[in-house]
Amino acid sequence: MNKFYLLFLAIAITFSSFSQEDTTLVVVEGQEDVMAYNAGIELFKAGDYQQAIAKFDEAISFNADFAKAYLNRGSAKYASDNIDGAIADFTTCIEKNDSIGEAFYARGRANFDKAEYDKVLEDFDKALEKSYTEERKLYYFRGVIKFLREDYEGAITDFDKAISLDFDKKSAYAYNDRGSANLKLEKYDAAIADYKSAFRISKEYAFIPNNLGRAYVKKEEYKKAIDAFSDAIDIDKEYVLAYNNRGDAKMYIEDYKGAIEDFNKAIMIDEKYAYAYNNIGRAKYKLKDYEGSLKALNKAIELNPEYGEAYVNRGIAKEMLRDREGRCADWKKAVELGVEQAKNYALECK
Amino acid sequence: MKKTIYILTLILFTIQITAQNVEFDKKVFKNDKEGFKEAMKNLDAGNELFEQNLRGSYKMALEYFLKANNFNPNNAMLNYQIGVCYIKSISQEKSLDYLLKAEKLNPFVAGDINYMLGRAYHYNLKFDDAIKEYNKYKNRLAPQELTKKRKIIEKRVAECEIGKKLVAEPIRAFIDNAGENINSSYPDYSPLITADGSMMIFTSRREGTTGDGRSLQDNQYFEDIWYSYYMDGKWEKAQNIGKPLNTKDNDATVGLSPDGQKLFTYLGKSNGGDIFESELNGEEWETPSDKSLKKYINTDYHESAASFSFDGRAMYYATNKPDNSFGKHDLYISYWDDEKERWGEPTNLGSVINTEYEEKSVFMAPDGRTIYFSSTGHETMGDFDIFTSTLDDDGNWSKPENLGYPINTPGDDRFFVVEASGKKGYYASDKTGGYGEHDIYIITFLGPEKPMIASVEDNLIGSLTNPVKEAVIQESVAVKTMRLTILKGTVKDALTNEPIAAEIEVVDNEKNQVISVIKSNSATGAFLVSLPSGKNYGIAVKSEGYLFHSENFNIPSATNYQEIHKDVLLSKMAVGSKIVLENIFFDYAKATLRSESYPELDRLVELLNKFPSVRIEISGHTDNKGSLTTNKRLSKARAESVVNYLIKKGIPAGRLEFEGYAYLQPIADNNTAEGRQKNRRVEFKVLSN
């Protein structure tokens, strides 16, 4: 959904910039390549990517140097999830004509999906150099890359820029992501303000109030967090994460039964959601229902045998069930799976 | 008008009292003369005991009072007396109902009814109600009385405040009755445990006591000492330890050495209460003796509670002798005087540990630095609570910490001991649900609650579909473990496999100082030594006519609790016998002897002096790292260094040969670090006898 949204933006821009030129175009003999090309664009707009690709193929067969035909074929391939094919076409476009900023952006965007962030940054620099007009997107994705590289300060600078360059509804992402960078920097008030701005801009995305809830949890304002997670659920009734998160927030106010209800709702939507089973294990432990806790944690581990945290927790439940050896085996396994806390507990097992 | 109301109220009040309080008056019970006679008999017998003001007599008085109360449950004074009997003997929490009834029947039943109610609420963990009653009592006291009693009342209130805090945050532990193989329907208490938790010795007043005698004070059997072994995950049926430890009088456990080979006992009839000592020879305990304790430890005052230090070189004990005391019983330390073969002049443990109130029931843990004791001072939640304190490297005690609820209660909590691991504690309690009277309970400490890890995830980045996972945990809980190593095993003859009573000498190699000498049991060969972390220990196992056996344990100070099992086989002095000298240390890649080797070398000198005709070969061995030539040269040079030391100490050169075998005679796998370590060694071999 998100990916498609951005992809469509990219295509729409490419298309509109071309169609402006197109209005001044006089169709004369020998313009078969352009005819095929325009037909491809119509098909793309209709969502028929395969036929669009065929038309762009045709355009290229008439004119092997038709740079924008490569660009648009690449976009059609990208839309049909052929990322490598898309990148190859964008590269050909650039080889044919290295002054099209959109081509650099499009290739960077495709490489973003492949997590080839160095290549993305290189292309985005080029796009800026080639006067790519949608600068805010370049800053936005650069911010995201910095976020993923845990350079949250740097990310905020880029998100600031992205926000300053655009005042329309699409900035919800930039606000949200800046909020997340602030969250990571433990600047919870700033994060809350950003998430709220994002939520004001768009009530469409459940992840925004979900993230707002997370910030409230961090700020230890659990009632507000629960409300925010509820807002997320109102937007998307199937949003598993928000149920899990609301349950988690209820744990902090010692509403363990309410928490279990939420974790169970998450499981009703996704019966393989191991996190919710882990969290039921936590809640039942708090309710001193150690058997119940063990059962839930068994399920979490059955769903994900590499789930280190669930092993730590199951060891804790087993301790209360007086299963001395069982708890030690679980903590040992958790240590093997790289969970630091378990090392401390495993000391008791010598 | 006012006056009329006052009189009316007074009349009504009096009517109410007389309407409820039923006096023991034969006119009232004229229809049941026999019953009344019997009740009066019980009442008189109870009163006589009550007047004695002794814990035992209050308990005995209860028996009579309860019978009388059965006949007439509505007598204010009798209800009050029953309440007081409970408070002053056992099952204190049962006092509350009786005292409440007494007060209801007659609010002025006794001058201290509010104080007693305070006590009753206190024992029932109803701290706020207790504080109210204590304050009521305080406010009703005449100024002169208040001066006398203010301190104790305020202390009780403070105890309630502490109790509130402790009960709100109970410590996490499993507290289990030690079971029917240990406990009886009679009082069982004062458990003592070997460091490895394999044997328990305790005091019981059960049927089958030696001589079948009963105490005149409380009509219960005299104390005897009982023991049990922990086998296959459970305690075996407890056995009477028999003579000479048990006599027809009271014989009680006080302190056990970590290896279970030495015992302090308590003899109440001796000199106001004295401590005696006994040692296990094979399967026989010696007759307890106070020979080593006469000079400084036992006085005309009351000595109780004693505990051996991990190395047997010091004892901690409690006495109420007044000199150098902070008040009542205090805790003292005394060191063993090798020369005079007795416990030396004691020192008061000081003001951090001792208070103006009672300090008793001392137990020194096998780590040599953690002490447990019971006190009615410090931050107790009522009566005796168990506290712990640790000794730092500079010899200072930390502020005693309350062990917490539910181990400690508003009643007496005493006789607490722990295993060397610190994970299990043992104590006695008369709490409900046991086999009767005091029972022995086992505490398994769980430490602070371990927080479970939450798993949550969020779509933090709008343009990414994969959620960002977050595992949330409160700060991890540090698991406290005792920092010591328990080394245990058996010593046996290498040929016959017969157990040997050997001396096990523990040496601080760096200080060249003997830390302790203990004996293995002659009947089983079993031994146990405590090695607190932070030293390079040399262990020498020696017995007459045998070559000594040496072990090295270098235990850095951060080493957590561990148990090492080591069965030692001693070889007779015979041609061809070989011994690895585990405590010889050289500088890296050199043949220079380090000073930590001297204790081991001196043992060797001692052995050679004892057997003046013996000729030996000292051999050096290496691991397989490096060339044969280098290793041969190094191993030979090292053997030579050892020989030179022996010559310097007066051993004729003609009795000594040396050789370097490099890595040609490995005793372990050279492919592992551990194996290579074993292969790098110095041995000696008997060449001729």
Side-chain angles (χ1 to χ4, degrees):
Chain A
M1 159 75 191
N2 297 335
K3 189 170 119 183
F4 179 75
Y5 165 72
L6 276 147
L7 163 93
F8 181 73
L9 282 182
I11 290 301
I13 289 155
T14 314
F15 169 72
S16 68
S17 60
F18 185 78
S19 58
Q20 272 167 15
E21 271 178 50
D22 201 33
T23 52
T24 62
L25 211 98
V26 180
V27 181
V28 292
E29 292 279 324
Q31 296 292 301
E32 292 88 347
D33 56 344
V34 176
M35 301 287 283
Y37 172 80
N38 284 348
I41 290 173
E42 290 305 318
L43 288 161
F44 185 98
K45 280 167 72 184
D48 189 350
Y49 305 123
Q50 291 315 314
Q51 288 305 314
I53 289 168
K55 280 291 165 197
F56 293 132
D57 283 346
E58 200 184 319
I60 289 163
S61 73
F62 288 116
N63 176 5
D65 292 326
F66 196 168
K68 286 188 177 172
Y70 289 105
L71 173 54
N72 278 359
R73 189 173 70 179
S75 295
K77 285 180 180 172
Y78 182 82
S80 45
D81 278 335
N82 175 7
I83 312 276
D84 288 330
I87 290 171
D89 275 347
F90 298 142
T91 304
T92 312
C93 168
I94 290 163
E95 280 164 8
K96 302 289 178 192
N97 178 358
D98 70 355
S99 66
I100 305 171
E102 284 82 356
F104 287 103
Y105 169 75
R107 190 169 66 178
R109 182 65 187 82
N111 270 317
F112 179 87
D113 287 348
K114 292 185 76 186
E116 296 270 11
Y117 299 130
D118 285 331
K119 289 184 184 169
V120 178
L121 294 176
E122 209 177 293
D123 275 343
F124 281 8
D125 282 348
K126 279 275 186 208
L128 268 178
E129 203 182 286
K130 305 290 175 188
S131 313
Y132 175 60
T133 50
E134 293 285 323
E135 273 182 71
R136 63 179 182 91
K137 288 198 286 183
L138 302 178
Y139 287 112
Y140 171 74
F141 282 106
R142 205 164 73 178
V144 172
I145 291 169
K146 287 182 181 171
F147 182 97
L148 295 173
R149 290 178 167 175
E150 296 180 8
D151 170 14
Y152 303 117
E153 301 274 9
I156 288 173
T157 313
D158 278 340
F159 291 138
D160 283 347
K161 191 93 179 164
I163 289 166
S164 74
L165 287 168
D166 190 281
F167 296 100
D168 68 16
K169 189 182 161 181
K170 295 171 199 89
S171 292
Y173 274 36
Y175 278 111
N176 173 78
D177 294 6
R178 189 174 69 181
S180 297
N182 276 316
L183 185 77
K184 289 286 184 186
L185 290 170
E186 299 180 7
K187 293 178 179 167
Y188 302 127
D189 287 330
I192 288 167
D194 276 342
Y195 290 137
K196 280 186 174 170
S197 299
F199 198 40
R200 259 196 304 275
I201 292 166
S202 170
K203 298 270 186 299
E204 186 186 338
Y205 307 116
F207 64 84
I208 295 171
N210 175 75
N211 293 342
L212 177 63
R214 170 66 48 230
Y216 278 128
V217 167
K218 294 282 183 190
K219 235 192 133 192
E220 300 179 8
E221 293 187 23
Y222 303 114
K223 293 246 161 73
K224 285 184 183 169
I226 290 168
D227 289 344
F229 292 132
S230 297
D231 285 343
I233 290 166
D234 285 344
I235 295 170
D236 180 358
K237 297 266 182 293
E238 304 279 289
Y239 196 22
V240 175
L241 306 192
Y243 287 108
N244 188 49
N245 286 337
R246 192 170 66 182
D248 179 61
K250 288 178 181 174
M251 293 283 297
Y252 290 100
I253 54 166
E254 298 180 6
D255 174 13
Y256 303 121
K257 288 189 177 150
I260 291 172
E261 275 173 30
D262 274 342
F263 298 139
N264 276 328
K265 276 181 198 154
I267 290 166
M268 275 166 64
I269 300 163
D270 177 359
E271 59 178 18
K272 293 193 168 156
Y273 196 58
Y275 284 5
Y277 283 106
N278 175 71
N279 291 339
I280 288 176
R282 288 167 57 213
K284 293 206 166 170
Y285 180 84
K286 282 289 184 185
L287 289 168
K288 299 194 192 305
D289 172 9
Y290 304 123
E291 287 287 355
S293 172
L294 177 71
K295 211 174 132 199
L297 291 162
N298 280 340
K299 183 75 186 170
I301 289 167
E302 183 195 311
L303 289 169
N304 177 9
E306 305 292 299
Y307 191 172
E309 289 84 1
Y311 283 101
V312 174
N313 293 348
R314 194 171 69 173
I316 295 170
K318 283 180 179 174
E319 176 172 66
M320 296 314 288
L321 290 166
R322 300 188 170 217
D323 175 5
R324 291 177 60 83
E325 274 153 34
R327 87 190 163 144
C328 289
D330 277 349
W331 290 337
K332 201 174 145 216
K333 179 77 181 170
V335 171
E336 280 168 25
L337 291 169
V339 186
E340 277 298 306
Q341 289 90 338
K343 277 189 190 162
N344 204 2
Y345 302 153
L347 278 181
E348 288 188 19
C349 296
K350 279 187 182 171
Chain B
M1 176 68 191
K2 251 188 186 174
K3 201 173 166 188
T4 323
I5 292 173
Y6 176 71
I7 291 168
L8 266 173
T9 316
L10 197 71
I11 290 169
L12 278 171
F13 193 52
T14 321
I15 288 169
Q16 200 186 2
I17 293 169
T18 46
Q20 292 188 354
N21 183 31
V22 180
E23 293 295 347
F24 278 91
D25 185 338
K26 65 180 169 193
K27 282 181 221 150
V28 180
F29 298 101
K30 55 189 173 202
N31 296 333
D32 185 3
K33 285 181 183 162
E34 274 310 300
F36 179 72
K37 213 168 131 192
E38 183 64 26
M40 285 310 288
K41 234 194 252 173
N42 282 322
L43 201 58
D44 289 343
N47 274 326
E48 200 177 314
L49 287 159
F50 190 86
E51 297 303 322
Q52 289 174 5
N53 193 18
L54 291 169
R55 187 183 166 118
S57 19
Y58 282 118
K59 201 172 150 208
M60 283 161 74
L62 258 180
E63 227 174 281
Y64 298 107
F65 281 154
L66 287 172
K67 279 182 197 160
N69 193 58
N70 227 4
F71 178 76
N72 174 13
N74 292 318
N75 182 272
M77 179 51 75
L78 181 57
N79 275 288
Y80 165 79
Q81 283 176 308
I82 292 172
V84 172
C85 283
Y86 275 123
I87 281 175
K88 298 200 169 183
S89 60
I90 58 158
S91 307
Q92 287 93 344
E93 67 281 358
K94 288 185 187 161
S95 61
L96 184 59
D97 289 345
Y98 295 96
L99 291 169
L100 280 173
K101 190 162 183 184
E103 195 207 25
K104 198 175 157 202
L105 293 168
N106 178 5
F108 305 105
V109 62
D112 64 354
I113 179 69
N114 295 112
Y115 181 74
M116 286 300 166
L117 269 170
R119 300 296 292 132
Y121 280 124
H122 195 155
Y123 285 119
N124 279 283
L125 305 173
K126 293 178 175 169
F127 299 112
D128 286 327
D129 290 328
I131 292 170
K132 261 185 227 157
E133 294 295 336
Y134 288 140
N135 285 333
K136 244 190 242 173
Y137 177 63
K138 192 168 110 180
N139 294 336
R140 285 178 184 173
L141 284 176
Q144 216 180 350
E145 279 289 288
L146 182 60
T147 318
K148 271 200 276 177
K149 289 178 178 160
R150 179 193 296 276
K151 192 170 165 189
I152 184 67
I153 298 168
E154 284 174 359
K155 182 173 188 321
R156 296 295 185 213
V157 170
E159 288 170 3
C160 288
E161 295 294 349
I162 292 160
K164 280 202 278 189
K165 273 190 222 156
L166 295 177
V167 171
E169 285 179 23
I171 68 145
R172 292 187 344 119
F174 296 132
I175 300 180
D176 299 307
N177 190 295
E180 58 180 3
N181 281 352
I182 298 288
N183 290 315
S184 68
S185 58
Y186 302 91
D188 305 294
Y189 50 92
S190 193
L192 302 174
I193 196 93
T194 52
D196 60 352
S198 64
M199 182 181 74
M200 190 196 297
I201 295 191
F202 62 98
T203 306
S204 179
R205 300 186 67 180
R206 67 182 65 181
E207 221 170 356
T209 195
T210 310
D212 287 328
R214 287 175 188 255
S215 158
L216 285 178
Q217 267 189 7
D218 59 10
N219 200 31
Q220 297 234 39
Y221 289 112
F222 282 124
E223 292 171 320
D224 252 7
I225 300 171
W226 294 69
Y227 71 98
S228 169
Y229 287 103
Y230 192 72
M231 301 283 273
D232 304 323
K234 64 182 184 65
W235 288 101
E236 293 192 318
K237 187 84 196 151
Q239 306 286 324
N240 188 302
I241 211 162
K243 289 175 182 171
L245 288 187
N246 285 330
T247 66
K248 58 184 178 25
D249 289 311
N250 278 322
D251 307 291
T253 46
V254 167
L256 184 68
S257 62
D259 63 354
Q261 301 291 300
K262 277 185 185 171
L263 181 70
F264 284 128
T265 61
Y266 170 75
L267 226 62
K269 66 170 187 177
S270 166
N271 211 12
D274 278 352
I275 300 163
F276 284 65
E277 201 175 2
S278 172
E279 202 171 330
L280 182 63
N281 289 321
E283 287 165 345
E284 301 288 320
W285 284 96
E286 288 173 349
T287 304
S289 151
D290 64 348
K291 203 175 135 215
S292 61
L293 299 131
K294 252 184 189 160
K295 172 84 178 170
Y296 290 115
I297 308 300
N298 288 328
T299 66
D300 292 342
Y301 296 92
H302 181 242
E303 281 76 35
S304 65
S307 176
F308 290 95
S309 66
F310 77 97
D311 54 7
R313 313 290 293 177
M315 70 178 280
Y316 296 82
Y317 75 106
T319 174
N320 62 352
K321 66 171 181 170
D323 36 321
N324 296 322
S325 166
F326 291 89
K328 301 197 174 171
H329 284 81
D330 270 6
L331 303 183
Y332 288 74
I333 184 170
S334 161
Y335 293 96
W336 181 254
D337 184 335
D338 266 329
E339 211 174 293
K340 304 217 163 102
E341 294 197 329
R342 69 177 179 216
W343 293 100
E345 199 174 348
T347 317
N348 188 298
L349 286 189
S351 61
V352 176
I353 300 291
N354 291 314
T355 66
E356 61 181 302
Y357 300 99
E358 297 278 12
E359 278 74 35
K360 278 183 171 179
S361 302
V362 59
F363 172 74
M364 186 59 178
D367 70 345
R369 55 175 64 209
T370 312
I371 201 172
Y372 297 89
F373 62 96
S374 294
S375 172
T376 55
H378 296 294
E379 295 199 327
T380 174
M381 68 189 281
D383 295 350
F384 279 102
D385 269 7
I386 303 159
F387 293 85
T388 181
S389 166
T390 48
L391 193 60
D392 69 15
D393 291 337
D394 301 323
N396 300 314
W397 291 103
S398 64
K399 184 175 183 281
E401 270 176 51
N402 191 305
L403 235 50
Y405 176 82
I407 295 172
N408 284 324
T409 64
D412 275 344
D413 302 293
R414 294 181 59 189
F415 307 118
F416 175 82
V417 296
V418 286
E419 286 179 11
S421 65
K423 286 177 195 161
K424 271 190 183 173
Y426 300 77
Y427 80 132
S429 165
D430 66 344
K431 65 166 113 183
T432 46
Y435 291 86
E437 304 263 1
H438 274 79
D439 272 1
I440 291 165
Y441 286 83
I442 302 172
I443 305 164
T444 310
F445 292 100
L446 299 174
E449 184 174 323
K450 299 180 179 75
M452 282 196 172
I453 306 175
S455 287
V456 292
E457 53 185 358
D458 300 297
N459 292 111
L460 288 181
I461 294 298
S463 52
L464 291 177
T465 45
N466 288 339
V468 178
K469 178 190 167 189
E470 190 182 14
V472 187
I473 186 171
Q474 274 91 30
E475 62 274 24
S476 171
V477 176
V479 174
K480 249 167 91 179
T481 70
M482 291 285 196
R483 296 198 164 162
L484 83 156
T485 298
I486 291 291
L487 171 68
K488 61 177 190 171
T490 56
V491 186
K492 289 182 175 167
D493 184 295
L495 268 181
T496 64
N497 215 26
E498 287 293 312
I500 300 173
E503 259 189 9
I504 294 142
E505 196 175 87
V506 180
V507 179
D508 179 340
N509 281 331
E510 269 153 42
K511 287 192 183 152
N512 192 358
Q513 204 174 59
V514 176
I515 294 173
S516 66
V517 183
I518 65 142
K519 273 190 203 148
S520 57
N521 185 288
S522 61
T524 59
F527 73 93
L528 180 149
V529 286
S530 286
L531 307 172
S533 301
K535 281 189 165 64
N536 181 356
Y537 291 101
I539 312 274
V541 185
K542 303 193 282 191
S543 188
E544 197 67 40
Y546 288 91
L547 295 174
F548 66 82
H549 172 95
S550 81
E551 288 288 339
N552 175 256
F553 293 95
N554 191 2
I555 306 172
S557 49
T559 310
N560 284 314
Y561 180 78
Q562 56 179 344
E563 274 183 26
I564 297 176
H565 195 98
K566 184 92 208 170
D567 288 328
V568 175
L569 294 174
L570 290 187
S571 302
K572 286 249 164 74
M573 179 64 81
V575 175
S577 293
K578 269 188 204 172
I579 293 296
V580 179
L581 298 167
E582 296 281 2
N583 292 290
I584 305 274
F585 308 95
F586 295 97
D587 286 342
Y588 178 71
K590 285 185 184 161
T592 324
L593 275 171
R594 295 166 65 100
S595 62
E596 294 97 294
S597 320
Y598 298 159
E600 183 98 324
L601 291 168
D602 292 340
R603 267 194 292 277
L604 189 52
V605 171
E606 194 189 332
L607 184 81
L608 290 169
N609 284 334
K610 244 185 219 166
F611 297 92
S613 59
V614 163
R615 282 186 67 247
I616 63 164
E617 178 201 69
I618 298 287
S619 58
H621 303 263
T622 65
D623 60 28
N624 67 349
K625 299 270 162 189
S627 76
L628 182 63
T629 327
T630 315
N631 276 320
K632 267 214 159 180
R633 192 168 55 230
L634 180 66
S635 55
K636 192 166 181 179
R638 285 182 167 179
E640 191 178 7
S641 292
V642 171
V643 163
N644 287 342
Y645 183 92
L646 299 176
I647 292 170
K648 209 169 78 193
K649 291 279 172 167
I651 307 294
R655 294 177 62 195
L656 306 165
E657 284 184 17
F658 63 91
E659 188 51 80
Y661 293 98
Y663 47 72
L664 300 174
Q665 294 180 3
I667 53 167
D669 184 2
N670 265 316
N671 291 318
T672 67
E674 201 187 329
R676 285 194 293 278
Q677 159 102 39
K678 277 192 173 156
N679 285 333
R680 295 190 295 269
R681 68 199 192 274
V682 173
E683 280 183 4
F684 82 84
K685 185 166 84 177
V686 180
L687 295 175
S688 68
N689 213 333

